[in-house]
Every structure is written in structure tokens, then in C-alpha cells.
Amino acid sequence: MAPPTPKLIVSIDLKKKPSEQVLPLHNRWHPEIPPVAEVKTGEMFRVEMVDWTGGAIKDDNSATDVKYVDLSTVHYLSGPIRVVDKEGTPAKPGDLLAVEICNLGPLPGDEWGFTAIFDRENGGGFLTDHFPCATKAIWYFEGIYAYSPHIPGVRFPGLTHPGIIGTAPSAELLDIWNKRERELEETGHQSMKLCEVLHTRPLANLPSTKGCHLGKIQGKTAEWERIANEAARTIPGRENGGNCDIKNLSRGSKIYLPVFVEGANFSTGDMHFSQGDGEVSFCGAIEMSGFLELRCEIIRGGMKEYLTPMGPTPLHVNPIFEIGPVEPRFSEWLVFEGISVDESGRQHYLDASIAYKRAVLNAIDYLSRFGYTKEQVYLLLSCCPCEGRISGIVDAPNAVATLAIPTAIFDQDIRPKASKLPVGPRLVRNPNIPQCTYDGNLPTTKNPCASS
């Protein structure tokens, strides 16, 4: 007998705001956010999701929505979902929750997505000191392929995946998160700067009542205020999984998540049609609404059996990810290298962030010679199926990072040649990508030797 159609347990009405959905969404991690649904191990079920902004970014030719997007609402998640075994016994703290991705995709009738660069004063990004202006590219889907009128001359298959999938933290784990991130936020500016560049991106995003959605806990009651002031933001990945942005978690993948509360209470969202390693523009995948069809298994006592704590408590663990067999096939790549030397020529010691930043900048400058603005290339490298690697981390003083770009995604040959750069009708330039002005006064980093 054929297996039954996956049961729809969380549905989304794209005509409604996140707060108006039948099953309320949430955008924080907290053990007291109640589950909206329950599933049994072994059964297939379907979860639908809004895009991470809840529809705030529009399919149009303006980047104003990106410039002024309210980042206090990041990210709208579907769930929590309580998991029990076939006898009705819930997952317990110390178990592992194995979540298998059986199928996924965009929501029918909503087959488009966006990639963006945040304004430097409102989100920023990995290269915010080079690209301070809010910028947007819209992508349309043709089956497994994506193309953009704002970045012409490229087309590639998407490796669709959820950016976020994670379990609810226990009260003890939540307290660990809040203490260490508050300490970083309060003292880190004295010693830590991303790529040695001062900018306005916070070192951590601490609990805040602004923009907070707690699912079934609604209304500005005393209970809501208490939980909102404790609940962790969903922006970084942590011990519970969360916003890991692993682009290969597509069909056939499994995620082995530690369980910290009874029922596991896992949530998911932030669907991506495609993403490059690092998601460097920060709003950097092809962001979309979507669905997942999942199946869960409980591995009793699996945390102790399979996960080794890397910290002072048994809670300092990390999930395990099993990549599925489905991915685009590319045979030819152009690889760009970066080392731990910044744009000023200053040497850093085994700094992989600076090495990867330089690899991305090298790729942007190179590809801009083929008829693209640097903003277009920055967006493209953030969302196309490029491969980032830490190639060397031991040969002092330089870490070595590489960025590999599949050449087949372009409609022209981008390899270096003795005959110089190609010219002719295939060389497409569209400078009219949606972009806003940068109205702040922070300095922009310039590479004195970069191409114009």
C-alpha cells in the first residue's frame, strides 16, 4: 500500500500577516512557548512557512523595503511541534531528535524570492564596510532553476533548504545563552571587531520585547513581558541548531537535534531556494516562503551516546547533520583564494574571517570585469551554489580560505584567456538594480588597487 499523503499540521495563508495566521508564528526561542501541533514518530507531515520577513519584502523594483525593514521581527518560525513516539511518550531531555527532510519547495503560487544587501545602519553584512547601501534582486523560479532580471546572464539550479530548524532550549540553556551573549555585547567592543572594521552591526542580539512574537502566548500580559525579556533571538545558530544556514540540507537530509525540553518542541523557517556558503550579504540566500515534508525519530538517550559536550556543562553540544543525496552537478569551477591580510596590507594571525572576506572581494572584483556591477556580484555570490572552504588554518601567519564558483551558471565564459575579456552582445550590463542611498556617515573601506 502506498504511504499516505503527508498530514498538513501548519498551514500558511499568504494573504494574511504572520500575526493573523490560524496557528500563530513565533520569532524567539524559549522553553515556555507552547507547541501548536503534535506528531508521532514515523508519520510524514507537512509544515508551511512564510519567508523570514513575513512578507515585508515585495516583488518590485524598489529597495526601500530592505532599507527600512524591521529586523526586530527576525525570524518568523512555524512551530513549535511536539514529538511523541508511537506509544504517545514524548521526547525527553537527553534524547536526540532525528528530523528527515523528505520533500520541500516554494509554496504553490508564490514561486519567487529575493536576495538583498541590508543598509549599513540597519543590519549590514559581511562586506558592509564596502557595500553600505540597501540593494535588492528579485528571483523567479522555473522548476529547479532560478533567474533574476536584476542580475542577467546567470541561471542555476537551487539546492532548496530551511535556514532554520531547531529545538526549544531548556531554561538552563537559555540562561547560558543570555549570559554569554550579554557579556560579549557589553565588553566585546573593547577587543573584537569583525574583520577589524568598526561598524554598527551588534556583536549579539539580546532579548527584546520589540517585534517579539511568542506564538500562542499573546497579549501584553505580565507573563508575556517576562518571557519576551528572556526569550533568545533566532539570529545565530546555537546548541539547539537554529539558524545554521547549511545550504546542503535538502531532500534526503537528516538533522540530529539535541532535546532539551519534553516533546522537543522543534520549529523551522527561513526557507531558501538557494544559498552560497557563508550567505555573505546577510540577507543573502534566495529568501522565500515554502514548505517542508518531514518525518521524525526519537533516539532515546542519544545526547550522551553520540554528542560530546564542548564546554562546562552537558548542554554545550551541537547537532549532527546528514547531507542528502540530491544536489546540483557542476564539473568546472573557478576558485578564488584569500589570506589573512586585510585591504590596508596589515597582517593578521590565522584569521579565517579576513581570509574569507578577501576571497569574496577577489571574486567580486574579478567578476565585475564581465559586465556586472559589484553589488550584483556580491548578491550573486551570496545566493548561487558556490562553495566556501577553509583550506588552511595551521600555516602561520596566514589562514587560507577559498570560494569556488561554478562556471556553468553564466551564459559567457568567465575564465582568464590570452585573448583578454570577451566583448559583444553576450556581455550584459544592467546597472538599474534596485538600490537606495546610504545616508549614514560611517567610512567606506576602499581597496586602492581594485578595478573601478
Side-chain angles (χ1 to χ4, degrees):
M1 178 180 292
T5 300
K7 178 175 66 174
L8 178 61
I9 63 167
V10 179
S11 63
I12 291 295
D13 185 344
L14 292 171
K15 296 178 182 178
K16 294 182 177 181
K17 298 178 181 179
S19 60
E20 298 171 344
Q21 299 298 326
V22 173
L23 293 179
L25 309 180
H26 68 102
N27 58 10
R28 301 290 194 270
W29 296 115
H30 195 283
E32 295 180 46
I33 299 176
V36 300
E38 180 177 290
V39 297
K40 288 188 175 181
T41 56
E43 69 177 1
M44 285 184 60
F45 58 94
R46 180 182 173 108
V47 180
E48 296 180 347
M49 292 154 280
V50 298
D51 77 80
W52 70 264
T53 72
I57 307 301
K58 305 301 182 183
D59 177 9
D60 60 23
N61 289 309
S62 170
T64 303
D65 49 7
V66 174
K67 181 172 183 176
Y68 298 108
V69 65
D70 182 3
L71 296 179
S72 71
T73 63
V74 176
H75 305 78
Y76 286 108
L77 303 181
S78 293
I81 299 166
R82 174 181 168 91
V83 183
V84 301
D85 63 22
K86 294 178 180 179
E87 286 72 41
T89 304
K92 302 286 187 181
D95 293 342
L96 274 185
L97 182 69
V99 183
E100 180 183 2
I101 299 176
C102 303
N103 195 16
L104 76 175
L107 287 181
D110 203 41
E111 291 89 357
W112 71 278
F114 62 91
T115 307
I117 302 168
F118 289 127
D119 185 274
R120 190 172 180 181
E121 308 284 340
N122 187 33
F126 189 48
L127 304 181
T128 192
D129 54 309
H130 286 261
F131 299 97
C133 301
T135 311
K136 182 172 77 177
I138 298 297
W139 298 86
Y140 299 116
F141 310 149
E142 294 178 329
I144 66 170
Y145 289 93
Y147 72 95
S148 173
H150 297 129
I151 310 177
V154 295
R155 182 174 182 263
F156 51 82
L159 190 55
T160 304
H161 61 279
I164 296 178
I165 187 164
T167 51
S170 63
E172 181 184 357
L173 181 59
L174 179 64
D175 186 57
I176 290 171
W177 293 351
N178 286 337
K179 284 182 177 178
R180 73 189 184 197
E181 292 176 18
R182 183 170 288 107
E183 181 182 359
L184 175 67
E185 177 66 21
E186 292 174 351
T187 65
H189 287 281
Q190 303 168 16
S191 58
M192 296 183 180
K193 297 183 282 289
L194 176 66
C195 303
E196 295 293 324
V197 177
L198 283 170
H199 50 75
T200 60
R201 288 188 68 193
L203 293 177
N205 294 274
L206 302 179
S208 170
T209 59
K210 182 184 177 184
C212 181
H213 291 261
L214 298 175
K216 286 185 175 181
I217 304 174
Q218 300 187 2
K220 299 297 178 69
T221 63
E223 179 193 34
W224 187 94
E225 289 281 346
R226 175 184 62 81
I227 294 175
N229 279 303
E230 297 171 352
R233 300 296 306 276
T234 62
I235 295 170
R238 299 185 182 93
E239 285 85 348
N240 69 325
N243 193 24
C244 298
D245 287 324
I246 299 173
K247 69 178 176 59
N248 302 84
L249 292 180
S250 195
R251 290 176 181 85
S253 296
K254 274 189 177 182
I255 304 99
Y256 299 90
L257 296 166
V259 176
F260 301 105
V261 301
E262 184 177 287
N265 288 0
F266 84 92
S267 302
T268 185
D270 189 27
M271 283 293 289
H272 298 162
F273 186 83
S274 176
Q275 180 199 296
D277 280 335
E279 198 184 12
V280 288
S281 78
F282 195 27
C283 188
I286 299 181
E287 312 285 346
M288 67 173 194
S289 65
F291 73 90
L292 290 174
E293 291 177 357
L294 305 171
R295 180 166 48 205
C296 292
E297 177 186 357
I298 299 171
I299 302 175
R300 298 294 183 186
M303 282 178 62
K304 184 176 181 180
E305 187 76 19
Y306 294 107
L307 304 182
T308 300
M310 295 293 175
T313 78
L315 303 178
H316 287 82
V317 295
N318 295 100
I320 297 173
F321 304 91
E322 180 182 345
I323 302 304
V326 179
E327 62 179 23
R329 281 200 310 250
F330 296 108
S331 59
E332 296 181 344
W333 305 74
L334 208 56
V335 180
F336 296 86
E337 181 191 67
I339 58 175
S340 306
V341 178
D342 65 25
E343 298 91 321
S344 71
R346 179 185 172 190
Q347 178 73 62
H348 298 259
Y349 179 73
L350 295 178
D351 191 323
S353 292
I354 288 182
Y356 197 59
K357 182 185 183 188
R358 183 159 170 178
V360 176
L361 287 170
N362 285 339
I364 289 173
D365 193 75
Y366 178 87
L367 290 173
S368 69
R369 303 165 192 260
F370 290 82
Y372 297 103
T373 67
K374 292 186 178 182
E375 287 80 5
Q376 285 174 315
V377 182
Y378 184 25
L379 289 167
L380 177 63
L381 296 182
S382 196
C383 69
C384 77
C386 56
E387 300 278 348
R389 297 284 188 274
I390 297 177
S391 301
I393 201 66
V394 295
D395 297 315
N398 280 326
V400 176
T402 55
L403 181 65
I405 303 168
T407 59
I409 70 174
F410 297 93
D411 68 352
Q412 57 182 309
D413 188 349
I414 63 166
R415 295 172 298 177
K417 303 174 194 62
S419 56
K420 297 186 178 181
L421 293 173
V423 294
R426 290 175 60 190
L427 185 61
V428 180
R429 181 178 291 274
N430 176 14
N432 299 316
I433 189 167
Q435 188 173 53
C436 295
T437 59
Y438 171 59
D439 303 322
N441 55 13
L442 293 170
T444 301
T445 302
K446 297 290 186 182
N447 177 4
C449 295
S451 62
S452 59

